[in-house]
Structures are given as structure tokens and as C-alpha cells.
Amino acid sequence: MAKVRVIPSTINPVTLTPLGQLNRRKVAAYARVSTDDEEQATSYETQVKHYTEFIQKKPEWEFVKVYADDGISGTSTKRREGFNEMIKDALDGKMDMIVLKSVQRFARNTLDTVGLARQLKEAGVEVIFEENNISNFDSNGELNLTINASIAQEESRNISENVKWGK
């Protein structure tokens, strides 16, 4: 009977880099608050500080930037300069991953959320939604993202309606 000799792989099958080599991912974050209220100003600063420190603490990650929009609604991407710069930079290959708190911070429009997450995935950019435990790279990521984006959109619509009724 012939002997079979197993030759161990020297290449990581996921990253396609040599085993043992630290393959640092370029990581950015996104922070957003929807109003200029004093209460939300501390939330904005806290998000920026948290993600700067969070990314810089991971040796396998290379900090790119925290993109941010202060006092801008997430219902549309039109006036969100930080968000639009981040998407452009991601599609231009300036990062491998985007980390953010939740789907609500990314967008409160289901079509924008799912469409942009798909574009980023096709460009090789992973988007991690921490609070929702969703990655656009996961097999169930798009389904979970669609559900959470729909909830965020409806939540925004309800808030808007309640404000109108209050006035």
C-alpha cells in the first residue's frame, strides 16, 4: 500500500497571503448624529473617539479615518458629505473595511442601504454593523441588512410623523 504524504499549505486560503504573515486590513469608521442638539453633540464626539481608539487598538487593522456627518438626517445620502466621501474612498480602494455602530447610522433608506452595501461588497469592502451583528460579507448579511434597514426607515418615518402631529 502506498504512503500518502500530506504537504501543509503555506498560503492562507481566505486572504491568499503566506501563513504567519500579518495581513493588515485598512479600516475606516462612520459616525453620524441626525440633529444639532447638545445631547447629540456628545454622542457624535463619543462615536468618533470610540472608533478611532477601537480601530487603532487592533494590530491586524490599519486606521484610515473616521468619516462623520454631524446634524444630518440619514434618510437621504445627498447632503451627507462625510458619508459620500467615505463611499467614494471605499470604491477607490482606500479601505478594506468600514465599521459603524448600526444600520441606522449608515442610512435610513432601505434601497440606499442595500444598494450601497452590495456595491461595497463587489468592490471587496466589508461593512460591519456592530450593534446589529451584521456583515455584508456574511451569507445571511443581505437578508439581515434588508430587514434592519426596513425597520430603520419605518422608525424614521414614524418619528417624522409624530413630530408633525406634535406641531
Side-chain angles (χ1 to χ4, degrees):
M1 184 178 232
K3 282 189 172 183
V4 175
R5 186 173 135 219
V6 177
I7 302 170
S9 175
T10 58
I11 303 289
N12 181 322
V14 176
T15 63
L16 301 177
T17 58
L19 286 175
Q21 177 180 317
L22 184 61
N23 185 27
R24 295 184 77 198
R25 296 179 79 187
K26 296 178 287 185
V27 182
Y30 179 70
R32 180 184 64 80
V33 292
S34 55
T35 68
D36 287 325
D37 292 348
E38 183 65 37
E39 171 184 305
Q40 291 223 321
T42 57
S43 172
Y44 175 81
E45 292 163 5
T46 301
Q47 286 179 60
V48 171
K49 182 177 187 253
H50 166 75
Y51 282 112
T52 300
E53 292 172 358
F54 178 70
I55 294 168
Q56 290 177 340
K57 283 181 184 175
K58 297 197 177 278
E60 67 275 16
W61 288 359
E62 177 185 330
F63 178 73
V64 174
K65 180 178 178 177
V66 175
Y67 296 85
D69 289 304
D70 189 6
I72 305 290
S73 170
T75 56
S76 171
T77 61
K78 287 181 182 142
R79 296 183 307 130
R80 294 168 62 195
E81 292 176 15
F83 182 82
N84 291 321
E85 178 188 1
M86 176 187 69
I87 297 298
K88 182 188 178 313
D89 286 354
L91 296 175
D92 287 345
K94 294 182 180 177
M95 66 199 73
D96 304 307
M97 181 190 298
I98 299 168
V99 181
L100 59 153
K101 181 179 176 186
S102 65
V103 173
Q104 291 89 332
R105 294 286 181 263
F106 193 72
R108 285 188 176 260
N109 177 298
T110 306
L111 292 175
D112 286 345
T113 301
V114 174
L116 288 168
R118 279 183 187 160
Q119 262 188 291
L120 292 166
K121 181 178 181 178
E122 287 170 11
V125 179
E126 183 174 15
V127 182
I128 303 287
F129 302 92
E130 281 194 302
E131 194 174 86
N132 310 97
N133 197 26
I134 297 173
S135 165
N136 65 332
F137 277 19
D138 291 344
S139 57
N140 290 328
E142 188 167 318
L143 172 63
N144 290 328
L145 187 57
T146 303
I147 291 167
N148 280 276
S150 297
I151 292 168
Q153 181 175 321
E154 185 61 19
E155 184 180 78
S156 179
R157 191 190 65 74
N158 283 339
I159 290 168
S160 177
E161 201 170 284
N162 287 340
V163 169
K164 286 177 189 171
W165 273 96
K167 288 179 180 180

